[in-house]
Amino acid sequence: MAKTTAKPETLGIAELAATLAEAQDLSKARAKSILDGVRDHIVETLLSGQRVNLFGLGTFEVRATKEKMGRNPKTGESIQIPAGRKVVFKTAKGLKDQM
């Protein structure tokens, strides 16, 4: 029998905004606006080819992926997967050590 593990609870922008609003004495709308701005700036920075380091959390960066062969799971047919780019996140040492 296979083990089933429950997924941990996920916090979204709304929940993070509510927590930030309470901790910093802001309105939820203002806190959400701040988080949206941070997210948008991170995306813009990554798209421009730069890395984003959030001290104590980790670093986001864009890496190139190589072209490779794959398989269509529906038909079993071999397909060429083109080269591309992906966002990777490297966890900060301090956070890693706490895990």
Side-chain angles (χ1 to χ4, degrees):
M1 179 155 37
K3 280 187 182 179
T4 58
T5 56
K7 286 187 178 183
E9 183 179 341
T10 301
L11 294 180
I13 291 285
E15 294 84 7
L16 288 171
T19 303
L20 178 65
E22 189 174 316
Q24 299 298 320
D25 196 28
L26 299 167
S27 70
K28 286 183 184 178
R30 179 72 181 133
K32 184 177 181 315
S33 174
I34 290 168
L35 290 173
D36 287 343
V38 169
R39 180 204 54 221
D40 293 346
H41 190 66
I42 289 171
V43 169
E44 288 171 16
T45 302
L46 291 171
L47 290 174
S48 75
Q50 296 176 316
R51 294 170 21 157
V52 176
N53 181 22
L54 300 175
F55 183 77
L57 189 60
T59 304
F60 291 96
E61 69 178 297
V62 176
R63 290 192 188 152
T65 60
K66 295 179 182 176
E67 189 174 86
K68 61 184 177 182
M69 290 301 291
R71 213 168 267 294
N72 180 334
K74 203 172 194 178
T75 65
E77 174 188 4
S78 290
I79 56 172
Q80 187 71 32
I81 300 171
R85 298 181 335 161
K86 66 179 179 179
V87 175
V88 294
F89 179 77
K90 182 179 177 194
T91 309
K93 183 182 182 325
L95 179 57
K96 229 186 258 187
D97 291 346
Q98 291 178 24
M99 304 304 273

